[in-house]
Amino acid sequence: MVEGMRAEIFDAETTKLPNVDPWNSKSYLCTWAAVAADTEAEDTHSLDDTASFWLFNHNTATIGNHEQMLIDIQARVDACDILVFHNAKFDLQWMIKNGIKFDHKPVWCTMLAEFVLYGQDKLISKTLADCCARRKLHAKTDLVKQFWDNGIE
């Protein structure tokens, strides 16, 4: 990234079954998370007050106004210089489904970058956890996978 750029890192979590396709009427968005990353910051791993998350369709937590949450997400998209995702095609499909406009921003996909860097080797895992381990970055905390592994959708 260019020094001084403000990146916004987004991640969506959705239902797993029947599939994660946003166009399937039985699939739905559960959460959006975003973290701002300033390329001039010394510690790019610190979340401090740059992290936000929004709960959608949650059965136990208090849910905010969906319309206002989407407005807040759009504001973060509009305020950044570049959007960053791991497996961008997945998250961007959910943005499209929820009316988030991003066509005015460049997009960086860490999964695609990893695929290119490793010579398009389909046998090398491109999961975020494995990419972080290869790059000796902080381990991915995958709470959603823990729920799925315990049969909680």
Side-chain angles (χ1 to χ4, degrees):
M1 269 195 316
V2 177
E3 187 173 330
M5 282 186 103
R6 183 172 171 275
E8 195 71 46
I9 304 163
F10 280 97
D11 187 33
E13 297 299 341
T14 65
T15 54
K16 182 178 175 186
L17 300 173
N19 65 38
V20 295
D21 178 6
W23 316 119
N24 184 312
S25 64
K26 295 180 181 177
S27 296
Y28 57 88
L29 181 64
C30 297
T31 63
W32 268 108
V35 177
D38 182 348
T39 57
E40 292 180 357
E42 287 185 29
D43 179 8
T44 58
H45 298 100
S46 175
L47 299 182
D48 56 57
D49 63 349
T50 67
S52 294
F53 70 94
W54 301 269
L55 294 174
F56 291 83
N57 305 307
H58 198 278
N59 61 359
T60 59
T62 302
I63 305 300
N65 177 293
H66 280 208
E67 186 176 321
Q68 183 58 52
M69 290 189 292
L70 293 172
I71 289 169
D72 294 346
I73 293 167
Q74 184 67 62
R76 286 188 78 132
V77 168
D78 293 341
C80 73
D81 297 311
I82 187 169
L83 300 171
V84 179
F85 304 92
H86 189 80
N87 191 8
K89 65 178 176 48
F90 174 80
D91 295 284
L92 292 174
Q93 286 180 340
W94 281 96
M95 282 190 164
I96 291 168
K97 180 174 182 175
N98 286 281
I100 303 296
K101 305 293 184 209
F102 58 86
D103 58 337
H104 58 298
K105 298 292 177 178
V107 172
W108 180 259
C109 178
T110 57
M111 181 182 275
L112 181 59
E114 195 76 0
F115 181 72
V116 170
L117 289 172
Y118 276 88
Q120 299 85 49
D121 187 339
K122 65 181 178 182
L123 300 178
I124 294 177
S125 172
K126 314 302 181 298
T127 67
L128 184 54
D130 290 338
C131 291
C132 289
R134 268 195 300 278
R135 305 272 175 225
K136 296 180 177 40
L137 298 172
H138 293 288
K140 178 188 176 205
T141 303
D142 197 345
L143 298 174
V144 173
K145 183 180 181 317
Q146 294 173 17
F147 288 119
W148 288 346
D149 289 348
N150 288 305
I152 301 169
E153 180 57 32

